[in-house]
Each structure stands twice: as C-alpha cells, then as structure tokens.
Amino acid sequence: MNRQLIGYLLVAIIIAFLPAIGAYPIFVMKVMCYALFACAFNLLLGYTGLLSFGHAAFLGGAAYATGHSLAVWGLPTLAGLLFGTGVAAVLGLLMGALAIRRSGIYFAMITLAMAQMVFFYFLQAPFTHGEDGLQGIPRGNIFGLDLSNDLNLYYVVMVIFILGFAICWRTINSPFGQVLKAIRENEPRAISLGYNVDNFKLLVFVLSATLAGLAGATKALVFVSATLSDATWQMSGMVILMTLIGGLGTFTGPVLGAIIVVMLENKVGEFGRFLSHATGIQWFQVLGESVTIVIGLIFIICVMAFRRGIVGELIHLSKTRKA
C-alpha cells in the first residue's frame, strides 16, 4: 500500500511539472476531466457490476448548471462548481432510485432512457441555448487565483482531479468498497449475509454521479462552454470505452483509457495528414479524419487481445509471474 501511495505521489508531482516541460495546459486539463469521469464510472461498473448507459447526463447536467450559475446568476466560481456538482448528485439520486429496481440489461436501458430524456430537455430548455450551447462562461477566481490564466486554472483542476481520485481510492479501500465488490461477484450471497443491497447500489450510484458531475463542472470551466455533446449517449459510450480499454475494475485503468482516447481524438487527424503527405495515399487522411473509426478499431483490438484491459492484463501478467 505504501508503494502505491508513493507511486501516486510521484505521478502527482509529474503532473504538476508538465506545463514546465512544454505540455499544453488545456490538453492536460481535458485529460484530467475525462479521467475523473472515467474513474467515477468505474466505481459503478468495475466495482459494483452496474452498467450505466446514461452517465453523460451527469457530466452535461453539471456543465450546464455550472455555466448558467456563473454566467447568468453571477455566483462565485467555487459556488458555481459546487452547485453544478450538487445538481448532478440530485439527478443521480432520482435516476438511481428508479434504475436500481432492475439489473443487467434492464438497468442499462433504464439509465439510457432517462439520460435521453435529460438530453432532450437540454435541447429545448431556453437556458441551454439549444444547439448553440452556453458560451463565454466566466472563470472568475478561487481563493484569489485569477482563473483566466490557464496556468492558475491548471493547478486548480489538478487539485480537483486529485481530490476526486482520492475519494475513489478511499471508497474502494473501505468496508463499503468491499461490500460493493461482494455485490459484483455474488449479489444473492451479499443479500444472504444481511446487506441491504439496494441501499448500497443507490449510494454508489449517487457517488458516481456526483464525481461525474464534478468532472463536467470542471470541464465547463476549462473550455468556458457547455454544449449538448456533453450530454449525448455517445459520451456515455465513450466513458465505457475508456474504462474497458484501460482496465475494468482496476484503479488506474480508467485514467490510462482516458489518456488514450483523448490523445486519439486530438492526434489521429494530425497523424493521418502526415502519413497522407508522406506517402501520397489519400486514404490515410480520410482515416485520420474519422476518429471514431480509429477508436473503434483500437477497441476491437483491445477486446480481442486484452480482455482485461491494458492495466488489467499487466496486473494479471505480474501475478502469473509471481506464481
């Protein structure tokens, strides 16, 4: 456990120094937002066995709530972030109270249906500005730090990410987390031991929604906008993809999955244009512009070659060697 904590501390130090070695702050902040989103989702699917296909509702809902509270109501930045996160928590409570009554594919379909209802509400609600989205969200300041400066915002986002990451770690490594794993492995046995399974499911659903909302609220601050793309079912599919590529039920897997997916979204087009220019083959540019096709191909390769995800396979290989 001490080795893990030392490893996490070293990673935190590396993240803190990334801007100093030439990393683009906005890109790294985007990675951290999506990594927190994936970690929140992993609590539900990886450690409880509940497949939610509606997590984009919490990401988008928190982004819109934060943006509206800052741009229209004029709340302080910290209050806006807390308000957006709170909206996601309430939304998670409402959706979770209905969804946990079913399991398996029925649970997934209920979350998808409710998330689509939320999406169409955002599409038609006046305060979201429809397909135009909320633009020009003021960043303001937190504890005297001017967040219009990307570097100041970077360290605020880093603190938020570390806080969310620590909450996930503490949840998993607690008696509550052990019950969640028991529910994932054998729910009837957990019931026979006297645990109120529905209460545990609802609590972890709300916690997952809250952390996803924190990621969405932070993302709105980073990009000074909130759009419908944050609340689409494709975003729910994207977070599932991040978790599966990195390693379902592993602690650092979703973070790695988020890094891979975000890098693909930003770099595939550039790489495709480079190959097309170097080889004269136009097909490379077409493929580079079709990011979803490339991500889909990588997902197929991961499913076929890395059934446990990248981190999961590395952990399995390490255990096999020790054995």
Side-chain angles (χ1 to χ4, degrees):
M1 188 63 67
N2 290 334
R3 287 184 178 181
Q4 282 187 346
L5 291 176
I6 292 172
Y8 295 147
L9 180 60
L10 289 175
V11 171
I13 293 172
I14 292 171
I15 294 173
F17 281 98
L18 282 178
I21 59 176
Y24 185 43
I26 297 294
F27 174 78
V28 183
M29 285 189 282
K30 181 179 180 180
V31 170
M32 287 191 284
C33 290
Y34 278 119
L36 179 56
F37 185 33
C39 287
F41 177 79
N42 191 43
L43 278 179
L44 203 60
L45 179 60
Y47 290 97
T48 317
L50 298 174
L51 174 57
S52 168
F53 221 108
H55 254 52
F58 312 127
L59 184 80
Y64 275 122
T66 299
H68 186 76
S69 64
L70 294 177
V72 180
W73 296 346
L75 290 183
T77 303
L78 184 59
L81 287 172
L82 293 175
F83 176 72
T85 305
V87 167
V90 173
L91 192 58
L93 179 62
L94 296 175
M95 289 178 61
L98 294 173
I100 62 168
R101 299 174 185 272
R102 296 291 182 265
S103 60
I105 190 64
Y106 302 105
F107 177 89
M109 289 298 100
I110 289 173
T111 56
L112 174 61
M114 289 190 288
Q116 285 299 99
M117 291 172 61
V118 172
F119 169 78
F120 285 114
Y121 169 73
F122 289 152
L123 179 62
Q124 298 178 6
F127 76 94
T128 64
H129 300 284
E131 295 181 355
D132 294 332
L134 287 174
Q135 307 295 332
I137 297 172
R139 288 178 174 176
N141 61 81
I142 292 181
F143 302 125
L145 286 174
D146 181 13
L147 300 186
S148 61
N149 184 316
D150 286 345
L151 195 59
N152 290 342
L153 179 63
Y154 178 87
Y155 290 109
V156 171
V157 173
M158 188 186 77
V159 170
I160 292 172
F161 170 69
I162 291 174
L163 176 63
F165 194 77
I167 291 173
C168 291
W169 182 86
R170 186 67 189 97
T171 300
I172 294 165
N173 296 284
S174 68
F176 175 74
Q178 298 306 312
V179 176
L180 296 181
K181 295 174 187 176
I183 294 172
R184 178 193 64 190
E185 297 298 330
N186 195 328
E187 185 175 334
R189 181 171 177 81
I191 295 172
S192 70
L193 292 173
Y195 292 108
N196 190 327
V197 170
D198 285 347
N199 284 350
F200 279 93
K201 285 182 179 179
L202 181 58
L203 187 55
V204 73
F205 193 95
V206 173
L207 177 60
S208 179
T210 303
L211 291 174
L214 180 61
T218 307
K219 183 175 177 289
L221 208 60
V222 171
F223 292 99
V224 295
S225 65
T227 62
L228 284 172
S229 62
D230 294 332
T232 59
W233 66 267
Q234 289 92 335
M235 182 60 72
S236 295
M238 190 67 74
V239 74
I240 296 173
L241 186 64
M242 293 174 188
T243 307
L244 293 179
I245 289 177
L248 184 64
T250 62
F251 191 57
T252 55
V255 178
L256 178 61
I259 293 171
I260 292 172
V261 170
V262 174
M263 286 188 68
L264 286 173
E265 285 184 339
N266 287 269
K267 301 300 180 182
V268 165
E270 295 178 11
F271 187 61
R273 285 190 293 270
F274 170 76
L275 287 178
S276 178
H277 180 74
T279 62
I281 301 174
Q282 195 68 21
W283 183 81
F284 283 119
Q285 182 171 347
V286 175
L287 185 63
E289 292 171 353
S290 304
V291 178
T292 53
I293 295 176
V294 176
I295 293 176
L297 290 173
I298 292 174
F299 177 61
I300 293 171
I301 293 171
C302 285
V303 168
M304 295 180 67
F306 307 101
R307 291 294 183 92
R308 301 175 182 86
I310 296 173
V311 174
E313 288 292 342
L314 291 175
I315 292 173
H316 177 71
L317 182 62
S318 176
K319 289 180 178 178
T320 303
R321 286 185 174 180
K322 287 181 181 179

